[in-house]
């Protein structure tokens, strides 16, 4: 008599791009709207789970954590909160939802910077991981960001113009 024991193993989720393109870069222009930090073709796959429960997107290289952040508009049942330290800004996305909901969330996470003249010499770095229902964690997906300054028009506070003419 032979006894065969089968042990089920939870496969980890995978973050990847649908296309064959390589690394992704985002470009933020001062005084403009937030920009997506991941490509529109980022996708979550998991061979044995059709739902995820959490994603963590982290800005880990930046200039000023008080003025730089990651944002996400509400998506279905997903909730967000942030954890900030001197070395990173983490946007935590929680809620049991299907893969397409988490795909949409990751595709729309955006970087914003409230600095009047962001330091363009610092390359911003963002990474993401996602957790399935059994808390198996995915690979880490990376993105690189660049900021650009606008040439602001000169301002003359409290200036007045006096036009003198002949009387």
């Amino acid at each position: 008599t032979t006894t065969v024991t089968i042990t089920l193993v939870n496969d980890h989720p995978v973050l990847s791009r649908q296309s064959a393109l390589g690394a992704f870069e985002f470009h933020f222009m001062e005084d403009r709207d937030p920009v997506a930090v991941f490509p529109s073709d980022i996708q979550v796959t998991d061979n044995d789970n059709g739902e995820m429960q959490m994603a963590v997107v982290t800005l880990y290289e930046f200039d000023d954590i008080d003025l730089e952040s990651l944002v996400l508009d509400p998506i279905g049942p997903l909730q967000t909160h942030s954890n900030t330290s001197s070395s990173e800004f983490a946007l935590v996305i929680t809620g049991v939802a299907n893969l397409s909901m988490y795909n949409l969330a990751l595709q729309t996470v955006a970087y914003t910077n409230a600095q009047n003249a962001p330091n363009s010499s610092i390359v911003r770095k963002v990474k993401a991981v996602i957790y399935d229902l059994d808390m198996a964690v995915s690979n880490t997906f990376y993105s690189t960001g660049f900021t650009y300054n606008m040439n602001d028009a000169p301002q003359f506070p409290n200036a007045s113009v006096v036009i003198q003419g002949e009387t």
Side-chain angles (χ1 to χ4, degrees), residues 60-99:
Y60 64 98
E61 287 192 23
F62 49 85
D63 182 41
D64 188 339
I65 198 63
D66 293 327
L67 298 172
E68 297 180 66
S69 64
L70 300 171
V71 294
L72 176 66
D73 290 333
I75 296 178
L78 300 179
Q79 298 180 1
T80 62
H81 68 276
S82 60
N83 295 327
T84 305
S85 72
S86 61
S87 62
E88 67 182 28
F89 177 97
L91 179 67
V92 181
I93 305 165
T94 59
V96 174
N98 62 34
L99 298 175

Side-chain angles (χ1 to χ4, degrees), residues 117-140:
N119 185 341
S120 59
S121 67
I122 295 176
V123 176
R124 276 61 177 182
K125 302 279 178 106
V126 177
K127 62 185 177 181
V129 293
I130 193 160
Y131 298 83
D132 68 15
L133 296 178
D134 297 315
M135 290 303 287
V137 64
S138 71
N139 59 302
T140 303

Side-chain angles (χ1 to χ4, degrees), residues 25-59:
E25 296 178 353
F26 62 93
H27 300 267
F28 177 82
M29 182 72 69
E30 170 196 347
D31 298 330
R32 300 286 171 90
D33 292 336
V35 294
V37 297
F38 296 123
S40 60
D41 66 346
I42 190 173
Q43 68 176 354
V44 180
T45 57
D46 193 323
N47 292 334
D48 56 8
N49 279 299
E51 295 181 318
M52 299 290 115
Q53 70 174 335
M54 181 171 62
V56 180
V57 182
T58 306
L59 173 66

